[in-house]
């Protein structure tokens, strides 16, 4: 008899791409889940190809359905193998976040040695939204390969960006654990600028983000991004929730509220 399981999607607050090369990342499970029924059918609220870890949630659900109990370590290990088949060289942050949920500090030290720890968020995050900039024409694998190519050609430039990303990731950690005041919006903006200099944000997405910033808001891609057309979902923060809602509406952009720190994989009754 099959079992019914569900697994969440994720966002990356900071560290996408650099996490593939051993730099730390902070990721959070979201409140959108994929449900796998006993007959293997899947119902999902997680948009596909949007940077929200739909493929990882799928892998985690396959893995949990196979293992049939909530052995998180085993589920995560098998899900990583499935992800590897699909993506080539993933860091494992997506499947680990979907498995364990919450906020995670994650680091791939070596192929067979990954460290992570739940971050106890001591601060209530502001209201956040996900805005759809359109589905990228590139897959996650393509984007990871693009960065690998750039790193081969311009190693120093890329490592410099990665180190700056790590600084932002650490500032997010201090912010979440209330060790510093920090400015959530500024961290989002700084992270986005670094991802732009890595070349993983398309022109049309940059234009949307620029307009959000001109209105006093902040936004960043979350996940692999996209170069040619859309760059998937962007995480948006604006003090004035109504203002940003109106902006999305007037520009016909699909935007919805998102909650971070959702529960990891679970067996449904
Ligand atoms: C994708 O959600 C995050 C990337 O860093 C790839 C990975 O970590 O495997 C772009």
């Amino acid at each position: 008899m099959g079992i019914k399981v569900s697994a969440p999607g994720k966002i990356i607050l900071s560290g996408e791409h650099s996490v593939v090369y051993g730099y730390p990342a902070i990721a959070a499970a979201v409140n959108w889940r994929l449900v796998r029924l006993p007959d293997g059918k899947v119902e999902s609220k997680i948009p596909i190809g949007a940077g929200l870890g739909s493929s990882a949630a799928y892998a985690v659900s396959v893995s949990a359905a196979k293992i049939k109990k909530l052995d998180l370590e085993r589920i995560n290990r098998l899900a990583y193998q499935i992800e590897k088949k699909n993506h080539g060289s993933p860091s494992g942050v997506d499947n680990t976040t979907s498995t364990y949920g919450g906020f995670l500090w994650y680091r791939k030290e070596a192929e067979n040695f990954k460290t992570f720890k739940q971050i106890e968020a001591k601060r209530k995050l502001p209201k956040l939204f996900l805005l759809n900039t359109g589905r990228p024409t590139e897959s996650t694998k393509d984007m990871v390969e693009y960065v690998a190519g750039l790193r081969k050609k311009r190693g120093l430039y890329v490592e410099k960006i990665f180190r700056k990303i790590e600084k932002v990731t650490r500032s997010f950690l201090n912010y979440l654990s209330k060790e510093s005041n920090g400015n959530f919006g500024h961290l989002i903006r700084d992270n986005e600028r670094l991802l732009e200099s890595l070349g993983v944000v398309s022109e049309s997405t940059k234009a949307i983000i620029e307009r959000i910033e001109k209105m006093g808001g902040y936004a960043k891609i979350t996940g692999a991004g996209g170069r040619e057309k859309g760059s998937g979902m962007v995480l948006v923060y604006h003090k004035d929730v109504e203002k940003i809602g109106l902006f999305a509406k007037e520009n016909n952009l699909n935007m919805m509220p998102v909650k971070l720190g959702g529960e990891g994989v679970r067996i449904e009754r």
Side-chain angles (χ1 to χ4, degrees), residues 10-12 15-21 25 51-53 56 80 83 87 89-95 106 108 140-141 143-144 147 195 200 222-225:
K10 67 91 194 39
I11 60 116
I12 295 181
E16 46 271 87
H17 288 293
S18 54
V19 70
V20 174
Y21 301 92
L52 293 190
Y80 178 65
E83 279 279 271
H87 292 308
S89 54
S91 66
V93 67
D94 290 8
N95 53 278
Y106 181 91
K108 178 184 180 181
T140 296
K141 184 169 188 270
M143 293 306 293
V144 169
V147 174
L195 290 163
V200 295
T222 174

Side-chain angles (χ1 to χ4, degrees), residues 39 71 75 77 199 203 240 245:
D39 61 6
D71 182 337
I75 292 174
R77 207 178 317 133
E203 291 307 318
D240 189 338

Side-chain angles (χ1 to χ4, degrees), residues 7 12 26 30-31 39-40 70 74 115 117-119 124 128 136 152 176 189 195 201 227 240 248 261:
I12 295 181
I26 294 180
V30 298
N31 55 330
D39 61 6
L70 224 47
R74 273 181 71 199
T115 54
K117 191 170 165 39
Q118 298 263 1
I119 302 168
K124 197 167 170 254
L128 296 170
K152 240 187 183 161
L176 285 172
R189 182 193 62 201
L195 290 163
V201 187
R227 286 169 56 73
D240 189 338

